[in-house]
């Protein structure tokens, strides 16, 4: 009888140990994903700032007509001033900058190549950020993560939706 109980206790202990190891691995994976979200957001922020700076430089170069230059400069300033902390405001400001770029016909050499590259880099950074956010959210919605609160106090990451000239 004692031998049976000790085997049962040993089996229960082994299962608890395996469960703890899996929970620890999942929490570590979640932590790494949250870190990747932060890095992707920083990268996106950098690319958005580069694009705004390039557009402001183009607007100040006196190549464009004054109305187009003013439109671009205003849109670039609003995009820079908007914070990613208020996501909706930032999305609207960056989308307005994209629309202003397309509306002004900024296909003037040598700016066209640089601006196209900047727009593409913003697209890629946003896509990468959103992919990491989706992966993080998928993991956070698993039962083990929610029941045992493996995400800690980290806020749920959000995707960023921009009109970025797809």
């Amino acid at each position: 009888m004692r031998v049976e109980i000790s085997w049962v206790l040993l089996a229960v202990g082994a299962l608890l140990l395996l469960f703890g190891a899996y929970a620890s691995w999942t929490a570590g994976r979640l932590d790494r994903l949250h870190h990747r979200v932060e890095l992707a957001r920083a990268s996106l922020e950098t690319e958005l700032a580069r694009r705004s700076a390039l557009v402001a430089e183009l607007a100040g170069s006196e190549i464009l007509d004054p109305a187009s230059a003013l439109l671009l400069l205003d849109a670039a300033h609003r995009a820079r001033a908007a914070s990613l902390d208020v996501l909706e405001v930032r999305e609207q400001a960056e989308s307005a900058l994209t629309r202003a770029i397309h509306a002004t016909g900024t296909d003037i050499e040598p700016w066209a190549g640089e601006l196209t590259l900047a727009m593409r880099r913003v697209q890629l950074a946003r896509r990468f950020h959103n992919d990491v956010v989706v992966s993080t959210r998928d993991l956070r919605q698993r039962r083990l993560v929610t029941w045992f609160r493996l995400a800690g106090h980290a806020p749920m990451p959000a995707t960023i939706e921009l009109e970025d000239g797809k």
Side-chain angles (χ1 to χ4, degrees):
M1 183 79 147
R2 286 189 170 178
V3 174
E4 289 177 16
I5 292 175
S6 63
W7 280 108
V8 169
L9 288 176
L10 185 63
V12 168
L15 285 175
L16 286 175
L17 185 64
L18 285 173
F19 175 75
Y22 179 72
S24 175
W25 176 80
T26 302
R29 182 173 169 226
L30 192 56
D31 185 53
R32 288 188 301 276
L33 281 171
H34 276 286
H35 183 67
R36 284 180 61 197
V37 167
E38 290 172 11
L39 291 175
R41 180 162 294 204
S43 175
L44 176 60
E45 185 71 30
T46 300
E47 295 305 327
L48 290 171
R50 281 183 187 163
R51 182 180 73 163
S52 294
L54 183 63
V55 168
E57 188 178 344
L58 170 62
S61 70
E62 298 181 4
I63 293 175
L64 298 172
D65 63 282
S68 296
L70 187 60
L71 178 68
L72 283 176
L73 196 58
D74 181 55
H77 174 71
R78 288 176 190 265
R80 281 188 195 173
S83 170
L84 261 181
D85 296 334
V86 184
L87 199 55
E88 283 184 21
V89 172
R90 182 62 184 263
E91 288 173 347
Q92 291 171 359
E94 293 294 345
S95 294
L97 177 57
T98 300
R99 287 190 301 272
I101 291 169
H102 290 302
T104 56
T106 53
D107 54 352
I108 302 164
E109 293 297 332
W111 296 97
E114 289 184 55
L115 197 52
T116 300
L117 181 62
M119 298 282 283
R120 182 71 180 143
R121 291 177 69 120
V122 166
Q123 289 173 359
L124 291 173
R126 183 184 65 82
R127 188 174 301 145
F128 181 75
H129 173 270
N130 287 349
D131 288 347
V132 173
V133 166
V134 167
S135 296
T136 304
R137 293 179 82 157
D138 287 346
L139 183 59
R140 284 189 65 161
Q141 292 172 352
R142 291 187 181 172
R143 288 184 185 147
L144 175 74
V145 174
T146 55
W147 289 348
F148 293 98
R149 298 181 186 178
L150 298 180
H153 297 288
M156 183 69 83
T159 59
I160 296 177
E161 302 304 325
L162 302 174
E163 289 178 35
D164 54 10
K166 296 175 184 176

